[in-house]
Structures are given as C-alpha cells and as structure tokens.
Amino acid sequence: MCQISVLMSVFNENKKELEEAVFSIINQTFKDFEFIIVNDNPKNTDLAKKLDAFKILDKRIVIIKNEKNIGLAMSINKASQLAKGKYIARMDADDIATTDRLEKEYNIIKKGTMDLVCSNFYFIDEESRLLSRKFDFLTKKQLIKLLPVWNTIHHPTIMMKREVFLKLGGFRDFPCAQDYDLWLRMLSEKYTFLMLEEKLLKYRIRSNSTTSSKRLLQVLTMNYAKKLYIERKIYGKDHYSAMDYEKFLKNSGYYNKRYCDDIKEKRLIFQKYKKAIVKKQYIRGFFYLNSIIWKSDYFRNRFLTVLEFALKKRYFKYFGW
C-alpha cells in the first residue's frame, strides 16, 4: 500500500518532455507513492523501451500497456482501477511538477476536509522556458461559484480521494473536457474543492497544440457538460449517453462544414483582436471583436460566458479567452 498513486498516460510526447515529466515525479520530496504510467501508443516500440527503462530506474513506477489506443480518459480510468493509493494525483507527460508538489497537496488533503486539491501553476513553452502568462488564484468560494461557468480547475495539478473518483465512475468517454464533466459531477454531489495559491506545476503551452476543429469540439463538449449539470439540478440526474452527446454536437453544427469553416475564419479575426489588446490598440481591438460577436452565435455565446465569468470574478483580464 502507498498513500498516493500518480496517474499519467503517454502517447506521443518526445523524449525530452517525457524525461522531464517522469523525473519531476520520482524526485519528489514526498516518497510514499506509486507512479502508474499508461502506454496508450502500443505500436511505438521506442516509447515502450523508454518506459521499461524508467521502470528499472525506480521500483515505484508501474507500466500499463494498452492493447490499442483508448485515449487519455479511459487510460486514467484503467490506471485508477489498479491503483493502490488512498489518493490519486494526475500528471501529464509533457508537464513538470515542482519537487514539493505531492508533499504540499498531501498535507492538505490528508486532513480529510477536502475531496480534491488543485494548485496554481506556471506556463512554459516548448523549450521549458517560463512564460509571463498567468492563471489567477481562486479562493474556495470563487472556485465553487465560477466552476459552472468556466473550468477553474487545472487537471494536471489535482490530487483527489480515489474513493470519490471510483464512486463517480471516473471520467466519461468524451474526446476532450472529460475533467470538466467530472468536476461538475463532483459539484452536483457536494464534494469539496480547494486551490493552493502556490504554483506547483509547470504547464506546457504549444504554439500549434490545438486546431480550430479541436478547439470547437472542446468548447462544445464543455457546453454539453454544463447542460448535464443543469439537468442534474432540475431532475436530480442527467441524460448522458453517447447518442445524446452526438445529437448535441450535431445540433450545435459541429458536423456542418460551412459552420466550422465560418468559425475558423472568425477565429483568425479573433487572433487579430488579441494582438491588438496586447499592443494596447483598444479601439482597433474593439472593432475586431465587434465584427465577430454580432456575426457569429458561437463567438457571441463565448463572449457572454466570459463576460459572466469576468463579472463574477470582478476582473476583466479573462477577455483574452
């Protein structure tokens, strides 16, 4: 037995990133953990060899090899079933944990008053250099209040009770935003959350990490999770199913090429808006923003969501959503 099971899924991360992620965990000041790494790219023989080398290096490392690619969410669900720890901590294969991350999160969650602990974090680029971009710390009250509006919990920073994760059935089989759906299900069941103000993770940002189609899918999936949350508030349960999710995407226009191409075009204008704001060209930025929110339901709804978030937080830096 151990106190913490660190769960990580690997697919196509490069050698340098993977080594940084793995060594940031095995060099933690807190030692009583197991590190379960799921190989979700079974056809990659080089990756398998690298993971086997990690296993030899540290006996706390457990390697699970999927027979086929099943995705991040299902890989973590699989790892959670084999985990021995009272608590599970998430780690992504291209991020870097600070050396005291597990110790500081464990010292809070072991008190028993919180079901999930997360933290603030740094942003780094593809070369592991710190970026100036910041994520605001949220108090317990702010986190709970804003969660139905925005995903205020950064998934790779969390530590939570394993029994809670299993009781809720783990992640649902969405292609993205599975974490947000889980947080909202926890919120529906009155589980408790806490964010630590200290930055305990370095989160990697890529210049080309998310395509327009993936970004659209992520937003729509988050909207679907919000719909399920509202259903639970009204009916006491939601109507989640794979068929219901597909129907939601279809009704949202996700499978309409013309709709998706229009969003892609508007996103290019939105990038011009963001650049204008950075350069403090506010009038130009206003015209860019105005030209998309009045012509696109997608961006208008996103703008209203961010506006609601900003008003609740009373802080308008989130307009660079």
Side-chain angles (χ1 to χ4, degrees), residues 183-221:
W183 314 151
L184 290 181
R185 283 188 284 138
M186 290 180 67
L187 188 62
S188 296
E189 296 295 328
K190 309 298 183 183
Y191 287 114
T192 52
F193 305 82
L194 179 70
M195 178 184 289
L196 303 182
E197 190 167 5
E198 292 179 84
K199 297 179 179 181
L200 301 179
L201 185 89
K202 296 177 181 179
Y203 173 62
R204 196 177 304 275
I205 294 292
R206 302 182 189 281
S207 57
N208 60 346
S209 61
T210 308
T211 64
S212 294
S213 61
K214 286 183 179 180
R215 201 179 292 267
L216 173 59
L217 182 61
Q218 186 175 44
V219 171
L220 293 178
T221 304

Side-chain angles (χ1 to χ4, degrees), residues 244-270:
D244 188 58
Y245 175 60
E246 285 297 313
K247 181 180 178 182
F248 179 85
L249 292 180
K250 184 177 180 179
N251 291 340
S252 300
Y254 181 70
Y255 298 115
N256 184 316
K257 186 177 184 304
R258 184 175 180 180
Y259 174 75
C260 293
D261 287 345
D262 180 65
I263 289 178
K264 184 177 181 180
E265 180 183 332
K266 297 293 192 301
R267 186 171 293 282
L268 294 176
I269 300 175
F270 179 69

Side-chain angles (χ1 to χ4, degrees), residues 37-55:
I37 304 175
V38 183
N39 181 354
D40 197 31
N41 192 354
K43 294 182 179 180
N44 188 331
T45 55
D46 289 337
L47 175 60
K49 290 178 182 178
K50 187 64 181 176
L51 294 178
D52 286 339
F54 287 141
K55 185 176 180 180

